[in-house]
């Protein structure tokens, strides 16, 4: 497994763990509560922050050890571009969802969580697209 | 994702050229060993520039390295 594929696995695992941790912290607060009263911000910021920091640290470790297999080469860049586009689509969908919620004057809780879900799905789908491209093959033609 | 319909003779050409390793070929064309493996196994179609570089390393025309398999159009 190449270092870049390991990096994609790290992105997938940290994004999933961050999402699960956020859900575990938030769900007990939601039972029978008015969402306007739910303090989702600390859990959201903490899980996002920890996921970003962990991904940066993993990227640094990968960059340091990448000398062993060189690169990135044209295939790495093509896969990164492709997976980035796939992940980006989910950020756009989440932004459109948040826009619709804002127009419907939904609670800020739902707008923030729609965006958060979009970020999470974007990270997961981007990592899965990258792993699939490395494992199953990638035809840019 | 479907594997590419572009087949190649890189493995055979490496052996005809003193059992050149995938790492050595990768070094000479500016790609990682993993990418050379992917090209050899038909899991990645390289850019035209890289395809020409590979042919240049082996000193053969491009169509001695890569062949296009006729079939149903995607």
């Amino acid at each position: 497994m190449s270092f870049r594929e390991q990096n994609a696995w790290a992105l997938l695992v940290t994004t999933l763990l961050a999402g699960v941790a956020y859900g575990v912290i938030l769900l007990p607060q939601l039972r029978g509560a008015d969402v306007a009263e739910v303090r989702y911000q600390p859990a959201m910021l903490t899980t996002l922050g920890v996921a970003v920091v962990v991904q940066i640290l993993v990227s640094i470790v990968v960059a340091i050890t990448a000398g062993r297999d060189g690169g990135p080469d044209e295939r790495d860049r093509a896969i990164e571009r492709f997976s980035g586009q796939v992940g980006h689509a989910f950020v756009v969908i989440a932004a459109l969802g948040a826009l619709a919620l804002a127009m419907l004057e939904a609670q800020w809780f739902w707008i923030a969580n729609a965006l958060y879900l979009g970020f999470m799905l974007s990270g997961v789908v981007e990592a899965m697209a990258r792993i699939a491209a490395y494992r199953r093959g990638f035809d840019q033609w | 994702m479907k594997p590419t319909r572009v087949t190649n003779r890189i493995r055979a050409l490496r052996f005809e050229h003193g059992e050149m390793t995938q790492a050595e070929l990768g070094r000479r064309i500016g790609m990682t060993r993993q990418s050379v493996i992917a090209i050899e196994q038909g899991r990645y179609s390289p850019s035209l520039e890289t395809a020409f570089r590979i042919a240049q390393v082996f000193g053969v025309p491009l169509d001695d390295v890569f062949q296009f398999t006729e079939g149903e159009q995607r």
Side-chain angles (χ1 to χ4, degrees):
Chain A
M1 191 191 296
S2 77
F3 290 104
R4 279 167 194 81
E5 194 182 328
Q6 288 175 25
N7 206 2
W9 278 107
L11 173 66
L12 179 64
V13 171
T14 51
T15 307
L16 283 174
L17 285 179
V20 169
Y22 178 66
V24 167
I25 296 167
L26 194 71
L27 283 178
Q29 294 184 53
L30 282 176
R31 287 201 190 104
D34 178 5
V35 290
E37 306 294 322
V38 174
R39 283 188 48 77
Y40 62 90
Q41 299 92 332
M44 186 179 281
L45 290 174
T46 306
T47 53
L48 268 177
V50 169
V52 168
V53 169
V54 169
Q55 281 162 23
I56 289 171
L57 289 175
V58 170
S59 296
I60 290 169
V61 171
V62 167
I64 290 168
T65 53
R68 277 188 263 171
D69 71 347
D73 60 18
E74 65 168 51
R75 174 170 162 260
D76 297 315
R77 284 190 290 272
I79 288 174
E80 201 164 309
R81 211 165 36 241
F82 159 73
S83 61
Q85 284 170 350
V86 173
H88 183 73
F90 282 83
V91 176
V92 172
I93 291 167
L96 289 174
L99 188 67
L101 287 168
M103 286 176 174
L104 294 168
E105 297 183 0
Q107 297 272 6
W108 291 341
F109 172 89
W110 295 117
I111 297 171
N113 279 282
L115 287 170
Y116 185 80
L117 182 66
F119 287 137
M120 288 292 141
L121 284 176
S122 165
V124 168
V125 171
E126 181 176 339
M128 286 171 70
R130 202 177 298 174
I131 291 164
Y134 274 117
R135 298 212 142 213
R136 296 180 55 197
F138 178 71
D139 189 1
Q140 63 181 333
W141 289 353
Chain B
M1 197 167 292
K2 293 174 189 175
T4 174
R5 279 191 292 154
V6 178
T7 58
N8 67 78
R9 293 185 55 245
I10 295 174
R11 182 183 288 261
L13 286 164
R14 281 196 301 109
F15 280 89
E16 288 168 16
H17 286 75
E19 300 196 6
M20 185 189 293
T21 63
Q22 291 164 328
E24 171 63 11
L25 177 59
R27 191 187 63 76
R28 291 176 69 172
I29 62 171
M31 295 194 77
T32 62
R33 192 175 69 87
Q34 282 81 11
S35 292
V36 170
I37 293 168
I39 295 169
E40 264 193 25
Q41 294 177 348
R43 288 189 290 112
Y44 175 67
S45 299
S47 67
L48 196 54
E49 193 177 325
T50 298
F52 273 111
R53 278 206 198 108
I54 294 169
Q56 203 170 40
V57 167
F58 295 125
V60 294
L62 189 62
D63 57 3
D64 271 11
V65 185
F66 294 98
Q67 296 80 38
F68 180 69
T69 312
E70 289 292 341
E72 194 184 328
Q73 196 161 6
R74 281 176 289 178

